Amino acid sequence: MAKGEKKRALRGRAGRMKGGRGSGRASTGQVRLWGRHPVEAALKNPERRHRKLWATREGIASLDGELPADFPIEYADVADLARLVARDAPHQGLVLECDALEDRFLDEVADGDPARPIVVLDQVTDPHNVGAILRSAAAFNAAAIVTQDRHAPPESGTLAKSASGALEIVPWVRVVNLARALDELAEAGYWRIGLAGEATATLAETMPTGPLAIVLGAEGEGMRHNIAGHCDALARLPISSDIESLNVSNAAAIALYAAATR
């Protein structure tokens, strides 16, 4: 196929993409990732099934390592790639379509290692926040994050970009019933601390020496009452009274640091 024909074909597919130009949506059951760190991490993840890579030659050159000789690549220019992702997404010359990761289960990750906390998120729906929490979880060697299968964002290019490769590293467990999952963590020996601004004790005062589950609620609403009731303790971060609260991803990063340095 001639270079010009390939470019027209790419534009044709992008134009027919569900959601219109720049939606960034992949086919059903698949995920479209963009940017060097998310794409590189997905390519290195043996648990990912890759479908196709659209890239500039500069984008390919920026990757760490060589792609297999038969890897499905279509070279494109920057304008073509912009049609495959969300508007103004920083694709850095790389767009990868792949299958979503296989489901993970709580008993696979709750191994009781006190050095590896589990992060439980109660209805945190912003993909930027969940991605940032995944990044902190990877940085501080957390065992997993746990969310509901509903009221949580799906895998997406936006979330993966915020996670900067951590989506491929940190197991993400989706459960039907978050309260039941907290009960299962308690049975596995985890001390469950819910972060709540109204708590009287600080995180340092409630931190155990054994296995730890850190529970965080959505911004604004915080943890639901039922989820707070399934925690062994509620704790606050000792922030200044001049600031009402922290972004949930910032709070998660601080709590994970505290767990790593106890």
Side-chain angles (χ1 to χ4, degrees):
M1 183 182 290
K3 182 178 180 181
E5 291 173 346
K6 184 179 289 186
K7 182 179 290 187
R8 285 195 295 275
L10 177 63
R11 284 179 174 157
R13 282 195 300 276
R16 291 193 298 271
M17 199 167 53
K18 182 180 179 182
R21 181 186 184 281
S23 71
R25 295 177 185 171
S27 303
T28 302
Q30 296 180 11
V31 181
R32 188 168 290 159
L33 307 178
W34 58 78
R36 185 173 70 83
H37 289 302
V39 169
E40 186 174 275
L43 290 171
K44 290 181 176 181
N45 184 359
E47 296 182 7
R48 276 285 188 196
R49 185 176 179 185
H50 310 114
R51 295 291 182 176
K52 186 169 186 177
L53 177 64
W54 292 275
T56 63
R57 296 189 182 277
E58 293 79 9
I60 292 293
S62 72
L63 292 172
D64 178 24
E66 297 293 326
L67 292 170
D70 60 347
F71 197 89
I73 303 175
E74 183 164 325
Y75 289 97
D77 62 25
V78 171
D80 285 329
L81 295 179
R83 291 180 169 86
L84 293 170
V85 299
R87 185 180 297 276
D88 299 325
H91 57 71
Q92 297 175 296
L94 295 162
V95 179
L96 176 68
E97 191 151 288
C98 51
D99 288 357
L101 290 168
E102 293 291 328
D103 290 339
R104 299 296 300 269
F105 299 95
L106 197 57
D107 59 0
E108 297 174 352
V109 300
D111 59 5
D113 185 347
R116 305 194 69 198
I118 290 176
V119 179
V120 180
L121 304 179
D122 180 26
Q123 299 193 339
V124 178
T125 58
D126 187 328
H128 296 93
N129 280 333
V130 175
I133 291 168
L134 279 165
R135 187 174 185 177
S136 295
F140 293 109
N141 200 31
I145 71 165
V146 179
T147 69
Q148 287 178 289
D149 55 356
R150 296 188 302 167
H151 307 295
E155 286 185 44
S156 68
T158 298
L159 187 149
K161 184 65 175 174
S162 297
S164 193
L167 178 60
E168 313 298 326
I169 299 170
V170 179
W172 182 353
V173 178
R174 293 175 180 268
V175 299
V176 174
N177 189 309
L178 205 59
R180 187 177 302 133
L182 286 168
D183 286 343
E184 291 175 12
L185 286 172
E187 291 169 5
Y190 283 79
W191 182 257
R192 304 157 301 176
I193 297 180
L195 290 189
E198 69 275 13
T200 55
T202 65
L203 181 60
E205 292 168 342
T206 58
M207 191 78 75
T209 56
L212 170 65
I214 301 168
V215 188
L216 300 107
E219 284 188 76
E221 296 84 359
M223 278 183 298
R224 289 172 294 164
H225 179 73
N226 181 47
I227 299 304
H230 280 78
C231 294
D232 297 296
L234 297 181
R236 60 180 174 81
L237 298 176
I239 62 174
S240 167
S241 59
D242 294 333
I243 298 295
E244 182 179 351
S245 64
L246 291 174
N247 174 280
V248 65
S249 64
N250 291 335
I254 293 168
L256 285 165
Y257 170 78
T261 55
R262 53 184 163 155

